[in-house]
Amino acid sequence: MDFSYILNHLGEDRDNYFGSVSPPIIQTSNFAFKSLSEFRASMGNEFSTHMYTRGNNPTVQILRKKLAALESAEDCLVFSSGSGAIANAVLSQVQQGDHIVCVKSAYTWTNKLLKDFLPRFGVQTTFVDGRDLVAMEDAIHENTRVLFLESPTSMHMELQDLEACAKIAKKHNLISIIDNSYASPIYQRPIELGIDIITHSGTKYINGHSDIVCGVVCASKEIISEVFANEYMTLGGIIAPHDAAQVIRGLRTLPLRIKQSDESTKKICAFLAEHPAVEKIYYPHHPSFPQYELAQKQMSGCGGLFAVKFKTDSQEKMEAFFNKLNRFLLAVSWGGHESLVLPAIALYNIPGKEKSDMPVGFVRFYIGLEDVDVLIEDLREAIAEM
Ligand SMILES: *Cc1c(COP(=O)(O)O)cnc(C)c1O
């Protein structure tokens, strides 16, 4: 895969804009036609022409070409959020009376879509442990249409065997969808393993600077043209041309950024694994991970997202640890330049929410682009406070 060509050149028609190295932001809502016949032709074929920016916009199209190529997909659409992308992808494949099989512990708002939102329209979901392929196949009924995967998941980093899942989906005539945000197209390439649709939170690695919210759906031309003509145009959850230009800029450094996160995370996991305060590490490319072999097989790298269970049941000790950390921000999300921590205890005792089943000592970490030695020193000092 020639990532360099895709990220530096593909989709950029520089002759059309004065040789400009960076593409112009075509900041327009609509496009004028030279003749009535051209206008009429576009009316009948909005997918392949420029009529209105809720459909096509040239800046967004550059981004689409790059993202599709990164995933070995024929085409893609970009949305104003990852959740929007997931909702569009799922909605495009179901109708009233249909059934979905989805992995347990998928992203919060994926879960909400499948558990609370779609049942209002007569679409039911069965949630299965994605590590158990027998349970997955058993959950498939006559009316099942979609197999929804997220591998690894973003809290406990559980994997599904993508090649095996794609086979199950084909055998039962299902559309397989995967949320590929964790590994990014640099480290995991689901279409090459037989998966039909890929979604991303572009907010994470793809933009990578914690300044844009966006989402991606990659698939065959046939699927994408259908989504375009239906969900995309109707629900209107598009990315703005200016944001698309920012994401193109973010993409230029995607392989460098994720590689840096990956290398630093491996060093930090090695440090933590040796530390007496640590009970368990959840990182697919750490040798202690139960699905280590599968992770090696289907992911060429792992990036910066992992979790740790510390050997303590004391909220006070965990609070002392978080209060001492200097170089990690307390925040959701991940995939940007900055290192983050998401404590399980931040999810405790929230009015109106189900009780969290994560133990006191559980913490999700994201490792950004800082000097790894500085991060390790910060962790060493904060753990000493526990
Ligand atoms: C953040 C995230 C999403 C949602 O993306 P947004 O861009 O925040 O809407 C979906 N899946 C995973 C795994 C995520 O981490």
Side-chain angles (χ1 to χ4, degrees):
M1 179 62 42
D2 189 350
F3 288 132
S4 302
Y5 174 73
I6 295 169
L7 298 176
N8 294 293
H9 304 296
L10 180 73
E12 301 188 56
D13 192 2
R14 295 188 172 114
D15 290 347
N16 254 333
Y17 32 83
F18 313 103
S20 158
V21 166
S22 176
I25 302 170
I26 308 290
Q27 190 72 36
T28 187
S29 57
N30 49 353
F31 298 84
F33 296 92
K34 288 202 206 87
S35 68
L36 185 68
S37 63
E38 268 187 32
F39 197 177
R40 193 182 287 128
S42 181
M43 285 284 181
N45 187 13
E46 189 161 358
F47 184 60
S48 307
T49 55
H50 293 111
M51 180 156 68
Y52 190 56
T53 284
R54 176 155 41 77
N56 283 324
N57 174 281
T59 310
V60 175
Q61 278 174 307
I62 295 171
L63 178 60
R64 282 174 54 191
K65 283 189 183 145
K66 289 185 191 293
L67 289 168
L70 283 176
E71 284 289 15
S72 299
E74 287 173 6
D75 205 346
C76 100
L77 290 169
V78 188
F79 296 84
S80 52
S81 73
S83 289
I86 291 165
N88 274 261
V90 173
L91 283 169
S92 73
Q93 300 303 320
V94 292
Q95 42 190 323
Q96 189 179 22
D98 286 350
H99 175 253
I100 295 170
V101 173
C102 177
V103 295
K104 268 186 195 147
S105 62
Y107 180 69
T108 315
W109 298 98
T110 302
N111 229 25
K112 178 86 176 169
L113 172 76
L114 299 178
K115 200 163 143 280
D116 299 337
F117 190 96
L118 284 178
R120 286 164 46 198
F121 305 96
V123 177
Q124 302 296 335
T125 296
T126 303
F127 295 90
V128 297
D129 184 333
R131 295 166 297 185
D132 183 348
L133 294 176
V134 176
M136 184 180 282
E137 198 161 5
D138 280 350
I140 296 169
H141 311 316
E142 282 276 277
N143 61 340
T144 307
R145 294 284 169 269
V146 169
L147 177 61
F148 194 100
L149 310 171
E150 183 181 317
S151 184
T153 56
S154 64
M155 254 350 235
H156 293 90
M157 327 303 154
E158 290 163 6
L159 270 61
Q160 299 103 58
D161 182 331
L162 300 188
E163 216 169 354
C165 289
K167 281 203 185 109
I168 291 174
K170 290 221 158 53
K171 179 173 156 198
H172 295 274
N173 243 332
L174 316 183
I175 291 286
S176 50
I177 306 179
I178 184 171
D179 181 335
N180 198 31
S181 304
Y182 180 100
S184 96
I186 304 300
Y187 287 155
Q188 180 165 272
R189 319 189 43 73
I191 283 185
E192 292 168 9
L193 300 174
I195 303 292
D196 298 307
I197 302 180
I198 295 173
T199 71
H200 280 284
S201 170
T203 313
K204 312 294 164 52
Y205 290 122
I206 284 174
N207 179 58
H209 291 73
S210 306
D211 53 7
I212 296 278
V213 175
C214 70
V216 184
V217 174
C218 295
S220 66
K221 191 125 234 142
E222 191 186 347
I223 290 177
I224 292 295
S225 63
E226 281 298 311
V227 177
F228 180 93
N230 293 288
E231 291 75 22
Y232 185 76
M233 288 298 295
T234 309
L235 301 175
I238 61 157
I239 190 169
H242 185 270
D243 282 6
Q246 293 282 95
V247 180
I248 292 169
R249 180 164 79 168
L251 267 188
R252 309 274 193 210
T253 55
L254 171 63
L256 296 175
R257 288 185 284 103
I258 197 165
K259 187 163 165 252
Q260 177 70 44
S261 277
D262 185 78
E263 286 172 7
S264 297
T265 303
K266 288 194 169 110
K267 287 184 189 155
I268 288 173
C269 284
F271 162 74
L272 289 170
E274 295 279 292
H275 202 292
V278 171
E279 183 179 320
K280 194 171 169 189
I281 291 183
Y282 303 74
Y283 186 60
H285 277 192
H286 191 264
S288 69
F289 192 72
Q291 295 173 291
Y292 179 72
E293 270 173 35
L294 177 61
Q296 291 288 328
K297 189 179 113 193
Q298 68 188 23
M299 297 163 68
S300 59
C302 211
L305 198 64
F306 71 102
V308 169
K309 187 167 175 288
F310 288 99
K311 280 181 201 155
T312 180
D313 292 324
S314 157
Q315 291 208 36
E316 291 72 39
K317 285 187 177 171
M318 289 310 297
E319 276 179 42
F321 168 74
F322 293 116
N323 290 336
K324 180 71 181 174
L325 279 178
N326 261 324
R327 301 294 187 130
F328 291 78
L329 304 178
L330 275 166
V332 297
S333 197
W334 48 276
H337 52 87
E338 74 292 8
S339 292
L340 307 169
V341 280
L342 175 59
I345 53 174
L347 307 169
Y348 280 25
N349 307 324
I350 300 166
K353 286 218 170 159
E354 258 174 63
K355 192 172 164 284
S356 167
D357 55 6
M358 285 185 283
V360 169
F362 186 88
V363 184
R364 188 181 78 177
F365 287 87
Y366 167 71
I367 305 302
L369 306 180
E370 304 91 335
D371 182 337
V372 66
D373 294 329
V374 170
L375 296 177
I376 289 176
E377 206 37 50
D378 196 37
L379 285 169
R380 192 193 310 278
E381 286 171 16
I383 295 173
E385 290 293 302
M386 288 167 69

